[in-house]
Amino acid sequence: MPDLASVPSVPSVLFVCVHNAGRSQMAAAFLTHLAADRVQVRSAGSAPADTVNPAVVAAMAESGIDISAEIPKVLTVDAVRSSDVVITMGCGDTCPVFPGKRYLDWQLPDPAGQGVAAVRPIRDEIERRVRDLLAELTQTT
C-alpha cells in the first residue's frame, strides 16, 4: 500500500462570481487549459445564469479554448470547503469562509451585456492573473 504522505496533493481552485457566466468561466477555462492535471479547477456562482455569456464563449474561442459546452453552476458550501484557493471575481459575492483556505478577490469588469471587443481586455487580464496564480501554485507544490 502506498504511503499517503508521499503522494503529492494537487491544489484546488474555485472561481466564484454571481452568474458564473463570464469571469469565473474564463478563469476556470484558462487554468484548466494551462495546468492540465496539476490543479483541480471549479467555478460557480451564487445566482447562476442559464447559459455562459455568448461574447465570453467567442472571446475564449479566439484564444483557442472552447467553453461552449460549459453550464453555469451553483455555489455550494462543499465546493468552498474542498478548495484550497477561492477567488471571487470582484462582484461583492458572499462566500462561505473556512479556516485554512486562501481567499482572493480579483476586481474585474463584468462582461455581462458586453460585446466581444469589450470582453477581450477582461479575458486577457484574467489570463495574466491565472498564469501568475499557476506559477505560484506549481512552485509551492
Side-chain angles (χ1 to χ4, degrees):
M1 184 165 188
D3 177 9
L4 293 180
S6 68
V7 176
S9 67
V10 175
S12 59
V13 177
L14 171 65
F15 294 101
V16 181
C17 68
V18 174
H19 300 298
N20 190 222
R23 295 166 288 190
S24 56
Q25 289 283 351
M26 287 190 282
F30 274 125
L31 187 54
T32 298
H33 178 74
L34 295 168
D37 58 355
R38 296 177 294 162
V39 178
Q40 183 181 42
V41 183
R42 298 179 188 87
S43 71
S46 56
D50 292 330
T51 60
V52 175
N53 179 332
V56 167
V57 173
M60 291 301 289
E62 291 176 355
S63 292
I65 300 173
D66 180 7
I67 63 168
S68 61
E70 293 298 323
I71 298 169
K73 294 165 275 318
V74 69
L75 176 64
T76 65
V77 170
D78 286 341
V80 176
R81 185 181 290 125
S82 60
S83 299
D84 299 311
V85 181
V86 179
I87 300 174
T88 57
M89 310 301 270
C91 45
D93 215 33
T94 55
C95 189
V97 175
F98 293 97
K101 307 292 176 197
R102 180 174 173 203
Y103 292 88
L104 301 171
D105 184 41
W106 290 357
Q107 296 289 326
L108 297 159
D110 189 347
Q114 304 292 322
V116 175
V119 172
R120 285 184 190 118
I122 302 167
R123 174 203 63 201
D124 294 346
E125 177 60 15
I126 288 171
E127 181 181 10
R128 184 191 68 75
R129 291 181 189 204
V130 164
R131 286 180 182 278
D132 289 348
L133 175 69
L134 180 59
E136 180 185 319
L137 289 173
T138 55
Q139 179 180 26
T140 59
T141 57

